[in-house]
Amino acid sequence: MQNYFLTTVKYERTAEEGKIVKVSEQHLVDALSFTEAEARINKEMQSFISGEFFVDKIARTKVNELFYNDNADKWFKAKVNFISLDEIKGIEKKTPSFMYVQANDIKDAEERLNEGMKKSMADYEIASITETKIIDVFKYKAE
C-alpha cells in the first residue's frame, strides 16, 4: 500500500464576474512523508496557480487502490469490505479497504469499481461510495 496524503490548498482567483474569490482545493498526493507531500503539492500547484497560494492542511489517508478514468472529473471514495471465512470460529470476517474511483456520478463509480474488481479473486461487498472534493491525484513520478 502506498502512502497518500490529502492536501488542501488555498488561494485567490478572479471569478467570471471579475470578483476576487477565495478558493480551497483538495488534492491527493503520493508521498513518503508529510514533508515530501508538502514539497510535491507546492511544485504541482505552481504550474496551475498564478500568484500566491498556501498549503492549509495535510493529512495521511488510507488508499488501497485507485481507479482512473480520463473521461471523468470527479473522485469518489469507496469502502469495500473483503469477505473471508474464519474456519476456526466458523464466521465471516470483513476486512475494510478504501479505494478511490474517478467517475462522473455515483452509479458510474460503482460500475467502474466493479469493473476494476473483476481481477480480484476475493469476495467483496461495497459498503459505501461517497463523492469527495478531490480535484486531482498526483502519483509519484521518478525524475
Side-chain angles (χ1 to χ4, degrees):
M1 186 168 76
Q2 294 171 295
N3 287 317
Y4 280 92
F5 294 85
L6 186 60
T7 62
T8 303
V9 177
K10 291 190 174 187
Y11 63 97
E12 292 181 346
R13 74 169 179 209
T14 306
E16 292 176 13
E17 309 85 39
K19 291 183 180 179
I20 295 178
V21 293
K22 292 182 180 183
V23 178
S24 179
E25 294 180 348
Q26 289 185 346
H27 302 274
L28 205 56
V29 179
D30 179 8
L32 295 173
S33 66
F34 285 90
T35 305
E36 182 187 355
E38 183 176 18
R40 291 209 43 236
I41 195 64
N42 275 311
K43 183 178 178 184
E44 295 287 350
M45 290 296 100
Q46 286 176 352
S47 61
F48 292 109
I49 300 171
S50 60
E52 291 186 28
F53 66 91
F54 68 97
V55 179
D56 187 46
K57 296 178 189 172
I58 301 175
R60 188 181 307 267
T61 187
K62 290 184 181 184
V63 178
N64 295 92
E65 189 78 40
L66 289 167
F67 296 103
Y68 290 93
N69 176 10
D70 292 334
N71 299 320
D73 58 351
K74 296 178 185 175
W75 282 94
F76 295 84
K77 182 178 182 178
K79 179 180 178 184
V80 176
N81 291 323
F82 286 100
I83 303 168
S84 59
L85 181 64
D86 185 336
E87 294 179 11
I88 296 171
K89 295 179 182 176
I91 58 172
E92 279 188 352
K93 180 181 176 186
K94 295 181 180 179
T95 306
S97 182
F98 297 95
M99 303 176 188
Y100 285 81
V101 182
Q102 193 174 19
N104 294 309
D105 55 37
I106 288 183
K107 182 180 177 193
D108 186 31
E110 183 177 8
E111 290 171 3
R112 293 191 177 282
L113 179 60
N114 283 321
E115 183 67 29
M117 293 301 292
K118 282 185 179 178
K119 299 173 190 171
S120 174
M121 299 295 288
D123 291 331
Y124 70 94
E125 67 179 10
I126 299 172
S128 66
I129 299 176
T130 56
E131 186 175 344
T132 69
K133 294 181 179 181
I134 295 171
I135 302 293
D136 211 346
V137 174
F138 298 109
K139 289 192 70 148
Y140 177 77
K141 291 179 265 189
E143 294 183 20

